[in-house]
Each structure stands twice: as C-alpha cells, then as structure tokens.
Short mmCIF file of all heavy atoms in Angstrom, two decimals:
data_model
loop_
_atom_site.label_atom_id
_atom_site.label_comp_id
_atom_site.label_asym_id
_atom_site.label_seq_id
_atom_site.Cartn_x
_atom_site.Cartn_y
_atom_site.Cartn_z
N ASN A 1 9.48 9.89 7.47
CA ASN A 1 9.02 8.73 6.69
C ASN A 1 9.10 8.98 5.18
O ASN A 1 9.39 8.07 4.41
CB ASN A 1 7.54 8.41 7.13
CG ASN A 1 7.38 7.86 8.48
OD1 ASN A 1 8.40 7.50 9.13
ND2 ASN A 1 6.19 7.80 8.98
N ARG A 2 8.87 10.18 4.79
CA ARG A 2 8.95 10.51 3.37
C ARG A 2 10.39 10.34 2.87
O ARG A 2 10.58 9.92 1.73
CB ARG A 2 8.48 11.98 3.14
CG ARG A 2 8.47 12.39 1.69
CD ARG A 2 8.00 13.84 1.55
NE ARG A 2 8.30 14.38 0.25
CZ ARG A 2 7.61 14.16 -0.86
NH1 ARG A 2 6.50 13.37 -0.81
NH2 ARG A 2 7.99 14.67 -2.03
N ASP A 3 11.35 10.71 3.68
CA ASP A 3 12.77 10.50 3.30
C ASP A 3 13.10 9.07 3.06
O ASP A 3 14.08 8.74 2.37
CB ASP A 3 13.69 11.13 4.36
CG ASP A 3 13.64 12.64 4.36
OD1 ASP A 3 13.26 13.22 3.33
OD2 ASP A 3 14.03 13.23 5.36
N ARG A 4 12.38 8.14 3.62
CA ARG A 4 12.65 6.70 3.49
C ARG A 4 11.59 6.05 2.62
O ARG A 4 11.37 4.83 2.73
CB ARG A 4 12.65 6.07 4.88
CG ARG A 4 13.62 6.78 5.82
CD ARG A 4 13.73 6.05 7.19
NE ARG A 4 14.59 4.88 7.11
CZ ARG A 4 15.05 4.18 8.11
NH1 ARG A 4 14.75 4.57 9.36
NH2 ARG A 4 15.75 3.13 7.96
N ARG A 5 11.04 6.82 1.70
CA ARG A 5 9.96 6.26 0.86
C ARG A 5 10.37 4.99 0.12
O ARG A 5 9.60 4.05 -0.01
CB ARG A 5 9.46 7.31 -0.11
CG ARG A 5 8.27 6.83 -0.92
CD ARG A 5 7.75 7.87 -1.91
NE ARG A 5 6.66 7.30 -2.67
CZ ARG A 5 5.38 7.54 -2.44
NH1 ARG A 5 4.99 8.32 -1.50
NH2 ARG A 5 4.43 6.99 -3.30
N GLY A 6 11.58 4.96 -0.40
CA GLY A 6 12.03 3.81 -1.15
C GLY A 6 11.98 2.55 -0.35
O GLY A 6 11.53 1.48 -0.83
N GLU A 7 12.41 2.63 0.93
CA GLU A 7 12.34 1.47 1.82
C GLU A 7 10.89 1.07 2.05
O GLU A 7 10.56 -0.12 2.08
CB GLU A 7 13.06 1.80 3.14
CG GLU A 7 14.52 2.02 3.03
CD GLU A 7 15.13 2.38 4.40
OE1 GLU A 7 15.14 1.53 5.29
OE2 GLU A 7 15.50 3.54 4.56
N TYR A 8 10.04 2.02 2.29
CA TYR A 8 8.66 1.74 2.58
C TYR A 8 7.99 1.10 1.35
O TYR A 8 7.15 0.16 1.51
CB TYR A 8 7.88 3.05 2.97
CG TYR A 8 7.98 3.33 4.42
CD1 TYR A 8 8.86 4.33 4.89
CD2 TYR A 8 7.18 2.61 5.34
CE1 TYR A 8 8.95 4.59 6.22
CE2 TYR A 8 7.30 2.91 6.71
CZ TYR A 8 8.18 3.90 7.12
OH TYR A 8 8.29 4.14 8.49
N GLU A 9 8.31 1.55 0.13
CA GLU A 9 7.69 0.96 -1.04
C GLU A 9 8.07 -0.57 -1.10
O GLU A 9 7.23 -1.42 -1.45
CB GLU A 9 8.17 1.67 -2.29
CG GLU A 9 7.55 3.04 -2.44
CD GLU A 9 8.11 3.79 -3.63
OE1 GLU A 9 9.15 3.38 -4.15
OE2 GLU A 9 7.45 4.80 -4.04
N GLN A 10 9.29 -0.88 -0.79
CA GLN A 10 9.72 -2.28 -0.84
C GLN A 10 9.01 -3.13 0.21
O GLN A 10 8.51 -4.23 -0.14
CB GLN A 10 11.23 -2.39 -0.61
CG GLN A 10 12.06 -1.83 -1.75
CD GLN A 10 13.54 -1.93 -1.45
OE1 GLN A 10 14.01 -2.64 -0.54
NE2 GLN A 10 14.33 -1.19 -2.21
N VAL A 11 8.84 -2.60 1.41
CA VAL A 11 8.23 -3.41 2.47
C VAL A 11 6.70 -3.49 2.23
O VAL A 11 6.05 -4.46 2.67
CB VAL A 11 8.55 -2.92 3.86
CG1 VAL A 11 10.08 -2.93 4.11
CG2 VAL A 11 8.02 -1.54 4.15
N ILE A 12 6.15 -2.45 1.61
CA ILE A 12 4.69 -2.53 1.33
C ILE A 12 4.41 -3.61 0.27
O ILE A 12 3.54 -4.45 0.48
CB ILE A 12 4.19 -1.15 0.81
CG1 ILE A 12 4.18 -0.12 1.96
CG2 ILE A 12 2.80 -1.27 0.20
CD1 ILE A 12 4.06 1.32 1.48
N ASP A 13 5.17 -3.67 -0.74
CA ASP A 13 4.98 -4.73 -1.75
C ASP A 13 5.24 -6.09 -1.15
O ASP A 13 4.55 -7.10 -1.49
CB ASP A 13 5.94 -4.50 -2.96
CG ASP A 13 5.34 -3.47 -3.93
OD1 ASP A 13 4.15 -3.24 -3.95
OD2 ASP A 13 6.17 -2.94 -4.71
N GLU A 14 6.23 -6.22 -0.23
CA GLU A 14 6.43 -7.50 0.41
C GLU A 14 5.24 -7.85 1.28
O GLU A 14 4.83 -9.05 1.34
CB GLU A 14 7.75 -7.47 1.23
CG GLU A 14 8.03 -8.86 1.87
CD GLU A 14 9.37 -8.89 2.54
OE1 GLU A 14 10.16 -7.89 2.51
OE2 GLU A 14 9.73 -9.97 3.13
N MET A 15 4.71 -6.87 1.99
CA MET A 15 3.51 -7.07 2.79
C MET A 15 2.36 -7.65 1.92
O MET A 15 1.72 -8.64 2.28
CB MET A 15 3.03 -5.82 3.47
CG MET A 15 1.77 -5.89 4.25
SD MET A 15 1.23 -4.31 4.83
CE MET A 15 0.59 -3.57 3.29
N PHE A 16 2.12 -7.03 0.79
CA PHE A 16 1.07 -7.48 -0.13
C PHE A 16 1.36 -8.97 -0.50
O PHE A 16 0.45 -9.78 -0.46
CB PHE A 16 1.04 -6.64 -1.39
CG PHE A 16 0.57 -5.25 -1.24
CD1 PHE A 16 0.97 -4.24 -2.11
CD2 PHE A 16 -0.33 -4.88 -0.19
CE1 PHE A 16 0.49 -2.97 -2.00
CE2 PHE A 16 -0.73 -3.56 -0.01
CZ PHE A 16 -0.35 -2.59 -0.94
N ALA A 17 2.59 -9.27 -0.92
CA ALA A 17 2.92 -10.55 -1.43
C ALA A 17 2.76 -11.65 -0.39
O ALA A 17 2.34 -12.77 -0.67
CB ALA A 17 4.34 -10.55 -1.98
N ARG A 18 3.03 -11.28 0.89
CA ARG A 18 3.08 -12.31 1.88
C ARG A 18 1.79 -12.38 2.74
O ARG A 18 1.61 -13.37 3.54
CB ARG A 18 4.27 -12.14 2.81
CG ARG A 18 5.61 -12.22 2.03
CD ARG A 18 6.80 -12.13 2.96
NE ARG A 18 6.84 -13.32 3.87
CZ ARG A 18 7.87 -13.53 4.67
NH1 ARG A 18 8.93 -12.72 4.71
NH2 ARG A 18 7.87 -14.59 5.46
N THR A 19 0.89 -11.41 2.63
CA THR A 19 -0.30 -11.43 3.49
C THR A 19 -1.61 -11.19 2.73
O THR A 19 -2.66 -11.08 3.35
CB THR A 19 -0.18 -10.34 4.62
OG1 THR A 19 -0.15 -9.05 3.99
CG2 THR A 19 1.05 -10.58 5.49
N SER A 20 -1.51 -11.14 1.37
CA SER A 20 -2.80 -11.08 0.62
C SER A 20 -3.23 -12.50 0.38
O SER A 20 -2.61 -13.19 -0.42
CB SER A 20 -2.53 -10.28 -0.67
OG SER A 20 -3.75 -9.96 -1.29
N THR A 21 -4.28 -12.95 1.00
CA THR A 21 -4.78 -14.33 0.93
C THR A 21 -6.10 -14.36 0.30
O THR A 21 -6.78 -13.34 0.11
CB THR A 21 -4.81 -14.93 2.33
OG1 THR A 21 -5.80 -14.24 3.07
CG2 THR A 21 -3.44 -14.85 3.00
N ASP A 22 -6.57 -15.56 -0.05
CA ASP A 22 -7.87 -15.73 -0.66
C ASP A 22 -9.01 -15.16 0.24
O ASP A 22 -9.95 -14.56 -0.23
CB ASP A 22 -8.16 -17.20 -0.97
CG ASP A 22 -7.38 -17.65 -2.17
OD1 ASP A 22 -6.75 -16.86 -2.86
OD2 ASP A 22 -7.37 -18.91 -2.44
N ARG A 23 -8.87 -15.40 1.53
CA ARG A 23 -9.93 -15.01 2.49
C ARG A 23 -9.82 -13.53 2.86
O ARG A 23 -10.84 -12.90 3.20
CB ARG A 23 -9.88 -15.90 3.69
CG ARG A 23 -10.32 -17.33 3.45
CD ARG A 23 -10.56 -18.07 4.76
NE ARG A 23 -11.13 -19.33 4.56
CZ ARG A 23 -11.64 -20.06 5.52
NH1 ARG A 23 -11.56 -19.66 6.77
NH2 ARG A 23 -12.10 -21.27 5.34
N SER A 24 -8.60 -12.98 2.93
CA SER A 24 -8.45 -11.53 3.25
C SER A 24 -7.44 -10.93 2.34
O SER A 24 -6.28 -10.70 2.75
CB SER A 24 -8.05 -11.45 4.74
OG SER A 24 -6.92 -12.23 5.06
N PRO A 25 -7.83 -10.65 1.14
CA PRO A 25 -6.93 -10.09 0.14
C PRO A 25 -6.72 -8.56 0.41
O PRO A 25 -7.54 -7.88 0.96
CB PRO A 25 -7.62 -10.32 -1.19
CG PRO A 25 -9.07 -10.25 -0.84
CD PRO A 25 -9.14 -10.90 0.51
N TRP A 26 -5.56 -8.09 -0.06
CA TRP A 26 -5.32 -6.62 -0.03
C TRP A 26 -5.91 -6.00 -1.30
O TRP A 26 -5.89 -6.57 -2.35
CB TRP A 26 -3.82 -6.37 -0.02
CG TRP A 26 -3.21 -6.36 1.33
CD1 TRP A 26 -2.43 -7.33 1.84
CD2 TRP A 26 -3.34 -5.30 2.33
NE1 TRP A 26 -2.06 -6.94 3.18
CE2 TRP A 26 -2.63 -5.73 3.45
CE3 TRP A 26 -4.04 -4.13 2.40
CZ2 TRP A 26 -2.53 -4.95 4.64
CZ3 TRP A 26 -3.95 -3.32 3.51
CH2 TRP A 26 -3.21 -3.74 4.62
N VAL A 27 -6.49 -4.81 -1.13
CA VAL A 27 -6.91 -3.97 -2.25
C VAL A 27 -6.14 -2.67 -2.13
O VAL A 27 -6.21 -2.00 -1.11
CB VAL A 27 -8.41 -3.73 -2.21
CG1 VAL A 27 -8.79 -2.74 -3.30
CG2 VAL A 27 -9.15 -5.01 -2.37
N ALA A 28 -5.37 -2.35 -3.19
CA ALA A 28 -4.66 -1.05 -3.23
C ALA A 28 -5.47 -0.04 -3.98
O ALA A 28 -5.86 -0.31 -5.15
CB ALA A 28 -3.28 -1.27 -3.84
N VAL A 29 -5.68 1.11 -3.42
CA VAL A 29 -6.52 2.14 -4.01
C VAL A 29 -5.69 3.34 -4.43
O VAL A 29 -5.05 3.92 -3.53
CB VAL A 29 -7.65 2.57 -3.02
CG1 VAL A 29 -8.52 3.70 -3.63
CG2 VAL A 29 -8.49 1.41 -2.63
N PRO A 30 -5.66 3.69 -5.66
CA PRO A 30 -4.97 4.95 -6.07
C PRO A 30 -5.66 6.14 -5.40
O PRO A 30 -6.89 6.34 -5.52
CB PRO A 30 -5.11 5.00 -7.58
CG PRO A 30 -5.44 3.59 -7.97
CD PRO A 30 -6.19 3.01 -6.85
N ALA A 31 -4.91 6.97 -4.66
CA ALA A 31 -5.52 7.98 -3.81
C ALA A 31 -5.10 9.40 -4.16
O ALA A 31 -5.36 10.35 -3.35
CB ALA A 31 -5.22 7.67 -2.35
N ASP A 32 -4.49 9.65 -5.30
CA ASP A 32 -4.12 11.00 -5.65
C ASP A 32 -5.37 11.85 -5.90
O ASP A 32 -5.34 13.05 -5.61
CB ASP A 32 -3.31 11.01 -6.95
CG ASP A 32 -1.83 10.74 -6.74
OD1 ASP A 32 -1.44 10.45 -5.57
OD2 ASP A 32 -1.02 10.85 -7.67
N ALA A 33 -6.46 11.29 -6.36
CA ALA A 33 -7.73 11.97 -6.54
C ALA A 33 -8.64 11.54 -5.36
O ALA A 33 -9.10 10.42 -5.27
CB ALA A 33 -8.41 11.60 -7.86
N LYS A 34 -8.92 12.49 -4.47
CA LYS A 34 -9.65 12.15 -3.22
C LYS A 34 -11.01 11.60 -3.52
O LYS A 34 -11.50 10.66 -2.87
CB LYS A 34 -9.70 13.38 -2.31
CG LYS A 34 -8.41 13.80 -1.68
CD LYS A 34 -8.62 14.98 -0.75
CE LYS A 34 -7.30 15.40 -0.05
NZ LYS A 34 -7.51 16.53 0.87
N TRP A 35 -11.78 12.21 -4.44
CA TRP A 35 -13.11 11.78 -4.78
C TRP A 35 -13.12 10.33 -5.23
O TRP A 35 -13.92 9.51 -4.75
CB TRP A 35 -13.76 12.66 -5.80
CG TRP A 35 -14.06 14.06 -5.33
CD1 TRP A 35 -13.95 14.56 -4.08
CD2 TRP A 35 -14.50 15.18 -6.13
NE1 TRP A 35 -14.28 15.88 -4.05
CE2 TRP A 35 -14.62 16.26 -5.29
CE3 TRP A 35 -14.75 15.29 -7.51
CZ2 TRP A 35 -15.00 17.52 -5.75
CZ3 TRP A 35 -15.13 16.56 -7.99
CH2 TRP A 35 -15.26 17.67 -7.12
N HIS A 36 -12.19 10.03 -6.15
CA HIS A 36 -12.10 8.63 -6.65
C HIS A 36 -11.79 7.69 -5.54
O HIS A 36 -12.42 6.63 -5.44
CB HIS A 36 -11.06 8.55 -7.71
CG HIS A 36 -10.61 7.13 -8.01
ND1 HIS A 36 -11.44 6.18 -8.50
CD2 HIS A 36 -9.43 6.51 -7.68
CE1 HIS A 36 -10.78 5.02 -8.56
NE2 HIS A 36 -9.56 5.20 -8.08
N ALA A 37 -10.84 8.04 -4.68
CA ALA A 37 -10.38 7.13 -3.58
C ALA A 37 -11.57 6.84 -2.63
O ALA A 37 -11.76 5.67 -2.21
CB ALA A 37 -9.22 7.71 -2.83
N ARG A 38 -12.31 7.85 -2.28
CA ARG A 38 -13.39 7.63 -1.32
C ARG A 38 -14.52 6.71 -1.91
O ARG A 38 -15.00 5.82 -1.20
CB ARG A 38 -14.05 8.98 -0.96
CG ARG A 38 -13.11 9.90 -0.12
CD ARG A 38 -13.57 11.31 -0.13
NE ARG A 38 -12.62 12.18 0.60
CZ ARG A 38 -12.68 13.48 0.57
NH1 ARG A 38 -13.69 14.11 -0.09
NH2 ARG A 38 -11.80 14.25 1.24
#
C-alpha cells in the first residue's frame, strides 16, 4: 500500500470531496504526533 501512496492520496481526497456532507462531515486529523492525534 505504501508503494501506491500517490494513488491513495488521490482517492482519499476524492472520498472527502464526495462524501463529506453537512450531516456527516469528514474530519482529517494530523497524526504524526500521537499525543496530539489522540
């Protein structure tokens, strides 16, 4: 999956654009820092 990261980044952004709605929005959390993410 890591080898195909570029493809995954594109489909993730498309997923956000097409399924983030007023009633069930997406929230993206920066997770490089574990304490902050939790």
Side-chain angles (χ1 to χ4, degrees):
N1 290 348
R2 179 178 169 84
D3 287 339
R4 307 185 75 169
R5 184 179 176 102
E7 294 177 69
Y8 274 101
E9 288 176 344
Q10 291 179 16
V11 301
I12 290 164
D13 278 340
E14 184 174 357
M15 175 189 74
F16 291 154
R18 299 187 65 174
T19 63
S20 193
T21 64
D22 286 352
R23 290 191 173 192
S24 52
W26 274 106
V27 174
V29 179
D32 276 8
K34 290 183 180 180
W35 292 350
H36 161 68
R38 292 165 184 170

